[in-house]
Amino acid sequence: MLDDRDDEFGGYAHEEILQALVRHLLTSADLDQLCDDADLPQLTHDDGQPVTITSARVYRDAGVMTLDRGVWLELSDGSVFGLTVQISRRPRSEVTLRRN
């Protein structure tokens, strides 16, 4: 059964869910821990302190002027990234949302 929150996904369920998932993953742990988990080098400032994610917002909440879905990341070193979620092909059959 769908609840009121499922209405937010509308006709863009894939994009909205992937956008929310990326945002959650990037805010559920420190960036240096995520790099360790992925066996990647860590980003550090000149003083050796790790670079952190200071903000991770969906495009809509960040005021990004686009119809695309995505996550706007701001890092402690001043860099800003937009991770865009785009569908290259729609599903072949109808997809429903299921709560765990």
Side-chain angles (χ1 to χ4, degrees):
M1 179 165 175
L2 300 178
D3 61 29
D4 292 337
R5 187 172 158 210
D6 294 327
D7 290 339
E8 74 185 78
F9 298 121
Y12 298 95
H14 288 78
E15 295 102 316
E16 294 289 341
I17 288 171
L18 289 171
Q19 169 184 262
L21 180 61
V22 167
R23 183 182 172 282
H24 172 77
L25 289 172
L26 292 174
T27 57
S28 63
D30 289 332
L31 185 57
D32 58 335
Q33 182 61 49
L34 293 169
C35 289
D36 283 348
D37 293 347
D39 197 26
L40 296 170
Q42 296 176 1
L43 296 169
T44 58
H45 293 282
D46 290 341
D47 63 3
Q49 292 296 313
V51 171
T52 60
I53 298 172
T54 57
S55 177
R57 298 175 288 164
V58 298
Y59 281 176
R60 179 184 59 241
D61 294 344
V64 177
M65 300 297 286
T66 182
L67 295 176
D68 291 332
R69 297 333 189 252
V71 178
W72 192 252
L73 297 173
E74 298 176 14
L75 305 183
S76 62
D77 65 358
S79 57
V80 178
F81 297 90
L83 303 176
T84 301
V85 176
Q86 293 179 315
I87 284 188
S88 296
R89 181 181 314 142
R90 292 274 176 198
R92 291 186 184 94
S93 60
E94 186 167 334
V95 175
T96 58
L97 302 175
R98 178 185 61 146
R99 291 279 172 206
N100 291 336

